[in-house]
Amino acid sequence: MRIINDPDPLIRVEELTKRYKEVTAVDGLSFAVNHGELFGFLGPNGAGKTTTISLLTGLARPDSGAIRIAGRECAKNPKAAQHLIGVVPDESNLYPELSGYDNLCFCAALYGMRQAERQMRARELLEVFGLEGAADRKFAGYSKGMKRKLTIAAGIIHRPPILFLDEPTTGIDVASARQIRQLIADLHRAGTTIFLTTHYIEEAERLCERIAFVVQGRIVEIDSVVNLLQPVRQRRAMLITVSGSVEGLCNHLAGAYPQFTFQAASADQVRVESSDTISIGPLVRSIEDQGGEVIEARRLRPSLEDVFVRITGIDLDAMKKEKGGGGQ
Amino acid sequence: MNQWIAFWSIMFKDVRAYYLKPPNVSWGLIFPVAWTGMFFIRSGRGLDSVLDLLPGVVAISVLFGTTSMLAVTVTFEKKNRSFDRLLLAPIPLSLLMLAKTSGAILFGVFNAFVPILLAQFLTDLSRIAWMTVLPAVLLVAIASTFLGLFIAVSVSEVFEAQTFSNFFRFPMIFLCGLFFPISALPAFLRPLAFALPLTYGVDILRQGILGQSMLPTGLNLMILIGFCLALFIVSLRNVHRKWIV
Ligand SMILES: Nc1ncnc2c1ncn2[C@@H]1O[C@H](COP(=O)(O)OP(=O)(O)OP(=O)(O)O)[C@@H](O)[C@H]1O
Ligand SMILES: [Mg+2]
């Protein structure tokens, strides 16, 4: 693990551990989140993301370890920093029997905001999230995307300097997900320190400055996105789609071009990787010599996915399928 | 100061969202009316028995009105996770639980006055010592609300809370001297009567309404306050232990 360079991070967690009977949900986590940073917590189902948020926000009690938020010791006294924190849980948990507007006003009141201020803020956020039309409708009747947006609005109603977002875009459609990501970026730009959990790698890559990969309650890698991408940045990759089957083709190509690695990406796609430039001409000719035809050749952008797979060995397709829904 | 904004908001939200809902208001009305009617008719002694029965009917109305409410305002919210919002709010847990219970306490007091208002039409209430009855009603409401809270934080499903509260309240009807004196209980049940808060509440009510009681009112009040404190503290500890795990 790398040394954290900010001498006075906003959130500092040391050796945090949480066990539920036989499961160790969080296993000796240490990390820090700096002032104004957008920190990503990326991991598959059951990695311990939600548990970590619960521990940091005072909804769960750690078995051991230290939590400091804004200089306050929170492992023993979880109330110490709660006024600085906004939380958007993974499930929308507002009051079904209250309207959207009343829900927001109520949440504002929990943080001691006065009536005039909370009404103004509630109207403002309903507008930001495009929910003015549904302001007086009961939360129970909202669609999933609307619920999610209102839950995010409720999490930021008191303008918290620190925001915890638990999988904010899981299970909603592409347009809403994009809108929410835009909002997160705006909050970040405005100076909010954000702790974001997600299992969408692209989302983490696009939004976050620093990312921790979490597997089975442990951080397996933590670094800035730029640094994480470094090892794959040098590598070139290309996806070639051929007519017919790629069976046998990979072996043939590997023999002809030992400087490249070939891999069947699907029934009719070959993935080519190299640390050098890949020139497509000779490859196309070789494939045609084998009686195939190149339909498409596409350069692949080096992505965090490659890094994640390389470090964790986790099957990404499985991870994406598990949750379904929009997201990307 | 800001914490009180949260306190009042939590209380008003519960009153608006739960207690003022037609089913609850009518439950709050029908239930005491039904008890009143049932006992007044059953006693068969005509209207002069109204005053005799009033302490018991008031107590039972409060008990049933309050205990089941916490199953909704606490167990239900815990179940659908909206309670997490309250746990995340920067207010002490004790203030939070007081806010969650104060709506039910008010509801209980409201319940108590339904039979009193009805009795008003049937008999002469001029000899009632209101300064004794009012604190008794309030304390019975607080004690039974906190009993409801104790039950609500001991279970995780709404139906469990309902079942569990019946386990307490039906025996209390017979054990706490509501409709016949504790001296009429079999000797082996009497200690049980003195272990239940309602016994002391009913005793104060009898003093205020009928001018007769088993124990001195001051002692009854102190014991009742003790029960309220103990139930609240145990419930708080349960919340700490079971919900912030
Ligand atoms: N209250 C609990 N009681 C028992 N086990 C729990 C509890 N909460 C979490 N766990 C276990 O801890 C582990 C981590 O769960 P957690 O919900 O933190 O994962 P996650 O990373 O948020 O997963 P997901 O992506 O599915 O939301 C899981 O194995 C889970 O079963
Ligand atoms: Mg989770």
Side-chain angles (χ1 to χ4, degrees), chain A residues 18 60-61 79 93 102 109, chain B residues 9 16 81 85 89 240 245:
Chain A
K18 177 69 186 173
R61 200 174 290 132
K79 289 273 161 203
N93 67 344
D102 286 341
Chain B
S9 299
R16 254 184 59 197
R81 292 185 52 196
R85 292 200 169 272
H240 250 295
V245 287

Side-chain angles (χ1 to χ4, degrees), chain B residues 121-142:
Chain B
F121 296 109
L122 303 173
T123 189
D124 174 24
L125 300 183
S126 63
R127 278 180 306 142
I128 291 184
W130 293 107
M131 293 319 285
T132 310
V133 170
L134 289 179
V137 165
L138 187 63
L139 280 176
V140 171
I142 295 175

